[in-house]
Amino acid sequence: MSFEEYEERSVQSSRVDDRPIEEVYQKKTQLEHILLRPDTYIGSVEATSQSLWVFENNQMVYRSISFVPGLYKIFDEILVNAADNKVRDPKMKFIKVTIDKEKNEISVFNDGRGIPVEVHKEEGVYVPELIFGHLLTSSNYNDNEKKVTGGRNGYGAKLCNIFSTQFTVETCASGKKFKQVFSNNMSNKTEPVIKDCGKQESDFTKITFIPDLEKFGMETIDDDFIALIQKRVYDMAGCVHGVKVFFQFLFFFSFHFISFHFFFLNNIKTSIGLFKWGRD
């Protein structure tokens, strides 16, 4: 590079940006920042191909799939919340996950202790809204307690709300039922509907959401993603003792974690051919 070229490049690089100062230096709200930089919070929002274990045709299969890590992450936040409720309520009996492929809608239901349907005195909103519709809220901020559940930083399920076009919270606790619908990436919300629970109705929490697939470069929930989250639901049957786990109409028995491993080993031959079972 000649001295003249170096000098010209230096002059160009030192020129003042001609954009308005307000465009050069910007401040974003937390919600805007999450949507603008999703990889910081939920991982990549672009499709990736990877060989993974998935559950399909009633067996575990190891194959190459295409999926969006960020979409998987927001689903997992809701599923782990449901599984964690077993720690809070040992009497919890089941988790149900359903997918409506036509509506691109996912729901996660558990029959454990519901979320208190009462107004938070300091924040002035119902507790379910505080948990799912306000950032940086958590029940895990006490660092003196042993960490036995997921979640730590106050994002969690709110990220699923933010990356959904519709997000519905339903819960029943202490005789009161709560329902609220968020939309447009958590920007809008309905007023909570509070009713008395039916006489035969026990505690529960149900989250139903429609992912904002456009933000994940998708048009519909595809078969690869369904196979991957079905495997993740199956994980819960092996990890959350004493809970019946349902995916669509398929029932996964809760079993010992060692048995969970054998389910993979029994399918290694047909899936990836690593071993020759029964070889002399």
Side-chain angles (χ1 to χ4, degrees):
M1 179 187 297
S2 67
F3 177 77
E4 290 78 9
E5 291 173 329
Y6 175 79
E7 188 175 43
E8 175 64 21
R9 180 171 295 184
S10 298
V11 170
Q12 289 177 353
S13 64
S14 63
R15 287 174 183 164
V16 177
D17 194 322
D18 58 2
R19 291 178 298 164
I21 196 72
E22 291 78 13
E23 290 186 15
V24 177
Y25 301 101
Q26 299 180 33
K27 178 182 178 180
K28 300 294 184 183
T29 66
Q30 286 183 323
L31 179 58
E32 289 171 337
H33 189 268
I34 291 170
L35 291 170
L36 186 65
R37 295 288 182 264
D39 54 298
T40 304
Y41 302 90
I42 62 171
S44 174
V45 292
E46 297 180 356
T48 183
S49 294
Q50 189 175 347
S51 292
L52 295 170
W53 286 100
V54 297
F55 195 94
E56 57 187 5
N57 300 321
N58 294 322
Q59 65 177 343
M60 210 65 76
V61 178
Y62 187 79
R63 66 174 177 84
S64 177
I65 65 168
S66 176
F67 75 105
V68 180
L71 179 58
Y72 177 77
K73 173 64 175 176
I74 65 171
F75 163 75
D76 200 51
E77 291 287 357
I78 303 302
L79 183 63
V80 170
N81 269 14
D84 282 348
N85 209 22
K86 178 65 175 179
V87 176
R88 302 182 183 98
D89 181 7
K91 295 181 180 179
M92 184 175 117
K93 296 178 180 178
F94 60 83
I95 296 171
K96 293 181 179 180
V97 177
T98 58
I99 296 177
D100 187 326
K101 196 173 179 182
E102 291 186 0
K103 295 181 180 179
N104 293 313
E105 183 180 85
I106 302 171
S107 70
V108 180
F109 177 102
N110 80 81
D111 71 335
R113 184 181 303 141
I115 301 165
V117 183
E118 55 186 80
V119 175
H120 192 283
K121 292 181 180 179
E122 293 183 3
E123 301 300 331
V125 297
Y126 278 95
V127 173
E129 178 182 333
L130 186 69
I131 293 172
F132 293 102
H134 292 247
L135 287 165
L136 304 182
T137 58
S138 176
S139 61
N140 292 325
Y141 283 147
N142 187 351
D143 289 338
N144 293 320
E145 291 182 348
K146 184 178 180 181
K147 188 74 166 59
V148 293
T149 61
R152 175 178 172 84
N153 300 310
Y155 290 101
K158 275 83 72 175
L159 295 172
C160 184
N161 194 346
I162 290 169
F163 286 95
S164 295
T165 57
Q166 184 170 299
F167 185 95
T168 304
V169 181
E170 297 174 82
T171 191
C172 178
S174 302
K176 293 290 184 181
K177 186 187 293 185
F178 174 100
K179 181 176 181 179
Q180 186 173 32
V181 181
F182 296 84
S183 58
N184 192 25
N185 309 110
M186 208 174 81
S187 296
N188 306 112
K189 62 187 177 184
T190 64
E191 288 296 319
V193 176
I194 313 297
K195 296 181 178 180
D196 291 333
C197 296
K199 293 182 179 180
Q200 303 299 321
E201 199 165 15
S202 58
D203 281 20
F204 74 88
T205 300
K206 181 181 181 181
I207 302 299
T208 305
F209 65 99
I210 300 175
D212 190 347
L213 294 177
E214 184 177 347
K215 295 191 181 302
F216 300 104
M218 300 171 65
E219 295 182 357
T220 61
I221 293 176
D222 57 32
D223 291 338
D224 276 359
F225 180 71
I226 291 175
L228 181 61
I229 66 172
Q230 187 170 353
K231 182 265 177 186
R232 181 59 174 148
V233 173
Y234 186 87
D235 288 346
M236 292 298 154
C239 299
V240 185
H241 183 67
V243 173
K244 297 177 181 178
V245 182
F246 297 83
F247 181 83
Q248 305 292 66
F249 299 106
L250 187 63
F251 169 45
F252 295 141
F253 288 94
S254 178
F255 43 77
H256 195 281
F257 193 64
I258 294 176
S259 300
F260 174 75
H261 284 82
F262 278 110
F263 198 91
F264 289 86
L265 293 175
N266 289 338
N267 287 282
I268 284 179
K269 179 180 178 182
T270 56
S271 298
I272 54 177
L274 291 181
F275 300 104
K276 300 293 185 181
W277 296 104
R279 183 176 179 178
D280 294 332

